[in-house]
């Protein structure tokens, strides 16, 4: 049993060293990132470059570039893929959402817009039937004025809702 554990540990160490030696997949400091998460990330984001991992109290975060687009992937501490974000142009939001933001937040200037594609794991029953549901996409729009800053959530269908008071 001890030999089996030792062999598994050595295999993991050599595999992790090979990934880190690649230079484009993982930053030098991957402390706190499990081998399972690193492998899952490398499979999900095959062409990822300039990967920088961050461990937070609630999640594992990988900032990276793929096809010249900066993205951030999030994993739970248990290793489950939660979703991916990227900054987008405000013009790409649904027209209904832009109209509602213009009407409801007249005095606010649009700041950063983040697209969040959440991972929706399917119940085993649906996976076995090969029925898949696309990932849920939401947009978060930062709106600022002199004395306030808010974050609103926009659905793919264009519905706008208050999400968080920032300032």
């Amino acid at each position: 049993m001890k030999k089996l554990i030792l062999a598994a540990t050595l295999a993991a160490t050599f595999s992790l060293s090979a990934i880190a030696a690649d230079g484009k997949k993982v930053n030098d400091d991957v402390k706190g990132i499990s081998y399972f998460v690193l492998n899952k990330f490398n499979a999900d984001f095959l062409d990822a470059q300039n990967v920088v991992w961050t461990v937070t109290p609630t999640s594992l975060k990988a900032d990276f570039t793929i096809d010249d687009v900066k993205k951030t992937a999030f994993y739970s501490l248990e290793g489950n893929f939660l979703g991916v974000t990227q900054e987008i142009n405000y013009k790409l939001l649904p027209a209904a959402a832009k109209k509602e933001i213009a009407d409801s937040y007249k005095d606010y200037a649009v700041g950063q817009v983040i697209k969040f594609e959440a991972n929706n794991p399917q119940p085993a029953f649906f996976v076995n039937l090969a029925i898949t549901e696309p990932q849920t996409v939401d947009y978060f729009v930062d709106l600022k004025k002199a004395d306030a800053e808010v974050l609103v959530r926009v659905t793919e269908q264009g519905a706008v809702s208050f999400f968080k008071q920032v300032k």
Side-chain angles (χ1 to χ4, degrees):
M1 182 67 173
K2 288 182 183 178
K3 289 181 182 180
L4 181 61
I5 293 172
L6 181 60
T9 303
L10 286 174
T13 302
F14 287 127
S15 298
L16 192 56
S17 297
I19 292 169
D22 184 2
K24 69 174 193 171
K25 293 291 184 196
V26 180
N27 59 311
D28 291 335
D29 185 19
V30 291
K31 294 176 185 160
I33 310 298
S34 73
Y35 177 73
F36 171 76
V37 171
L38 291 173
N39 277 339
K40 185 158 181 50
F41 174 83
N42 288 329
D44 291 343
F45 303 100
L46 189 60
D47 295 327
Q49 297 179 340
N50 305 317
V51 180
V52 177
W53 285 94
T54 305
V55 179
T56 72
T58 58
S59 66
L60 307 171
K61 179 177 95 164
D63 292 302
F64 61 99
T65 305
I66 193 164
D67 297 328
D68 294 325
V69 177
K70 292 181 182 181
K71 295 186 177 198
T72 302
F74 295 90
Y75 293 84
S76 70
L77 295 176
E78 295 79 31
N80 299 316
F81 177 63
L82 301 174
V84 64
T85 64
Q86 75 181 65
E87 188 172 347
I88 65 163
N89 191 305
Y90 179 73
K91 294 175 186 177
L92 297 175
L93 289 179
K98 291 186 285 190
K99 182 179 180 342
E100 186 173 338
I101 289 170
D103 292 344
S104 300
Y105 297 92
K106 290 178 185 163
D107 298 335
Y108 288 80
V110 175
Q112 189 176 36
V113 179
I114 300 294
K115 177 181 179 181
F116 176 65
E117 296 178 65
N119 183 33
N120 292 325
Q122 295 297 310
F125 174 75
F126 291 112
V127 172
N128 291 337
L129 294 176
I131 297 172
T132 59
E133 177 182 321
Q135 293 183 327
T136 302
V137 175
D138 287 308
Y139 305 92
F140 294 90
V141 182
D142 186 44
L143 301 169
K144 301 175 184 180
K145 66 179 183 178
D147 60 342
E149 183 176 358
V150 297
L151 198 58
V152 296
R153 180 181 183 177
V154 177
T155 66
E156 261 185 305
Q157 296 75 28
V160 177
S161 60
F162 174 83
F163 183 72
K164 181 179 179 181
Q165 183 77 36
V166 179
K167 173 179 163 186

